[in-house]
Amino acid sequence: MSDLVKERISQSQLFALIIFFQIGSTTLFALGIEAKQDAWIAVFIALLAGIVLVWIFTEIQKHFPHQNLAEILISVLGKWIASPLIILYALSFFWTASFNLYEFSEFMVSTFFFETPISAILFLGLLLMIYSLFLGVEVIARSGEIIFPWFLGFIIIMFLLTGISGIIKPNQLLPIMENGVMPVLKASTQVITFPFGEMVIFLMYWCYVNNQQVIRKTSIWAVIIAGIILILSLILMITVLGAQLASNESISLFKVFQKINVGNFIQRLDAIGGAILFIGGFYKGLLYLYGSRMLIQTLFNIKAKHQKWLITFLVICLFCYILLYFKDVDFYRWVGLQINNKYVYPLFQITIPIFLLVIIKLKTKGKGIKKIQRM
């Protein structure tokens, strides 16, 4: 067995990691708001498509229960064809981690630390991240399991307090499908890849689960619950702020939390709202960067004793890349919408996995797959 899978995570830990990952940075945005007050319907449709994608990803994993994505690609395609794909996936995960970390550093600066340079927030965040990466996936999963009940409890409390505050206006959701179904379907296509298609990253982590039989069930239920939370978040954004204002606000859900006021006594809950957003975003960035590291380590057969040097190198590269590449928030959002959603995500989350599963099915039928031997 490889050093990469000596660690193990439980079913409950997997569940917590998926919830963190799916909520992650997603709550910073009003997903599918192009459909205006029907955005929540677009997210619901995207959730159904996301469940199909999770089925595809877990079907791939089912054929290779103890291998990660890099090893699966090598087993199915051979090393010469798989190597470029592994490098591209590693770059894709690194690229997405940079977006995730930039948006949360920008969020912290714009909401809490107005006079602090973004580089300082980013540096501190990466210090915490590098420490977590050194500890390994099992410790990361255990910490997620411990934090998860508090995380979920805070979300429920914030939702309830928003309702008690009397700031919800249900009529903001009307009229339903005023412009027909096409705007809703168009908006849902973007939400499929962000966040539901991002579950492809768990092809790096399912091999750690100590009971392979529960992977699909646990993953689908976690995605469903995360999707429900996202739909409820979106409904709050629209009913409190209105569709137009929600689309214009850079951090819509945080603006909703800022409006909470119960009897002029319970108010100014910005810190709790910020903590919810930060925890989800931290774990999401952590899982992406760890996935990138594992792809590189697997491809180049880097021994476990050298992995700390690899992690340190990746974190330094990430820090420099974020500061040099992201000019401002507008540029970040343009790249996210025009490049990631249209080209990067569909390729790595839909096209390649479907292509890979078809080859696996054909080879399995002809018994042509030879699984790689573990170290």
Side-chain angles (χ1 to χ4, degrees), residues 82-116:
S83 294
L85 286 177
I86 294 171
I87 293 173
L88 288 174
Y89 264 107
L91 291 173
S92 170
F93 293 163
F94 180 90
W95 162 277
T96 309
S98 71
F99 275 79
N100 190 260
L101 290 167
Y102 173 80
E103 65 198 15
F104 272 92
S105 298
E106 180 62 35
F107 163 70
M108 297 301 289
V109 169
S110 62
T111 54
F112 297 109
F113 306 104
F114 306 106
E115 303 298 326
T116 306

Side-chain angles (χ1 to χ4, degrees), residues 39-208:
W40 67 275
I41 303 176
V43 175
F44 176 74
I45 294 172
L47 172 60
L48 298 179
I51 292 172
V52 175
L53 285 178
V54 173
W55 184 91
I56 291 172
F57 301 151
T58 53
E59 188 68 13
I60 293 172
Q61 187 68 54
K62 185 177 75 172
H63 288 82
F64 305 90
H66 303 297
Q67 296 184 11
N68 63 36
L69 177 59
E71 295 165 330
I72 293 172
L73 287 169
I74 293 172
S75 294
V76 177
L77 303 176
K79 191 160 186 178
W80 287 105
I81 298 177
S83 294
L85 286 177
I86 294 171
I87 293 173
L88 288 174
Y89 264 107
L91 291 173
S92 170
F93 293 163
F94 180 90
W95 162 277
T96 309
S98 71
F99 275 79
N100 190 260
L101 290 167
Y102 173 80
E103 65 198 15
F104 272 92
S105 298
E106 180 62 35
F107 163 70
M108 297 301 289
V109 169
S110 62
T111 54
F112 297 109
F113 306 104
F114 306 106
E115 303 298 326
T116 306
I118 192 172
S119 57
I121 301 297
L122 181 62
F123 178 76
L124 292 174
L126 286 173
L127 278 182
L128 179 58
M129 187 168 288
I130 198 172
Y131 176 72
S132 303
L133 292 171
F134 280 174
L135 294 175
V137 69
E138 187 171 335
V139 175
I140 292 171
R142 286 179 181 176
S143 68
E145 184 180 30
I146 293 170
I147 296 172
F148 178 70
W150 297 93
F151 178 80
L152 191 61
F154 280 143
I155 290 177
I156 294 172
I157 290 171
M158 295 297 276
F159 284 2
L160 291 175
L161 289 177
T162 303
I164 296 171
S165 295
I167 56 178
I168 294 178
K169 301 175 183 177
N171 63 304
Q172 301 266 37
L173 293 172
L174 302 175
I176 296 177
M177 292 197 181
E178 178 183 16
N179 299 311
V181 71
M182 290 310 297
V184 176
L185 294 177
K186 184 178 179 181
S188 68
T189 57
Q190 295 185 2
V191 185
I192 292 172
T193 55
F194 178 78
F196 302 116
E198 292 183 297
M199 281 293 294
V200 71
I201 187 68
F202 279 88
L203 280 167
M204 298 302 303
Y205 297 101
W206 282 321
C207 59
Y208 290 100

Side-chain angles (χ1 to χ4, degrees), residues 320-363:
C320 296
Y321 178 77
I322 291 173
L323 294 181
L324 292 174
Y325 183 71
F326 294 105
K327 302 172 184 177
D328 52 42
V329 176
D330 291 335
F331 175 74
Y332 149 78
R333 290 185 180 276
W334 179 84
V335 174
L337 291 172
Q338 300 301 321
I339 305 298
N340 283 354
N341 284 357
K342 290 184 178 180
Y343 303 107
V344 177
Y345 291 161
L347 175 63
F348 291 102
Q349 298 172 7
I350 301 175
T351 305
I352 294 177
I354 291 177
F355 175 72
L356 183 63
L357 182 58
V358 169
I359 294 178
I360 289 172
K361 291 296 185 182
L362 291 175
K363 283 194 169 185

Side-chain angles (χ1 to χ4, degrees), residues 107-108 110-112 114 158 161 251 253-261 266-278:
F107 163 70
M108 297 301 289
S110 62
T111 54
F112 297 109
F114 306 106
M158 295 297 276
L161 289 177
I251 316 171
L253 186 61
F254 187 73
K255 295 296 181 183
V256 171
F257 291 159
Q258 284 184 318
K259 290 180 176 293
I260 291 176
N261 185 351
I266 301 177
Q267 54 185 326
R268 302 300 301 172
L269 300 176
D270 305 20
I272 296 178
I276 292 171
L277 300 177
F278 176 79

Side-chain angles (χ1 to χ4, degrees), residues 273-293:
I276 292 171
L277 300 177
F278 176 79
I279 291 171
F282 175 78
Y283 275 94
K284 187 167 188 174
L286 194 62
L287 291 174
Y288 264 122
L289 190 57
Y290 200 91
S292 180
R293 189 275 292 179

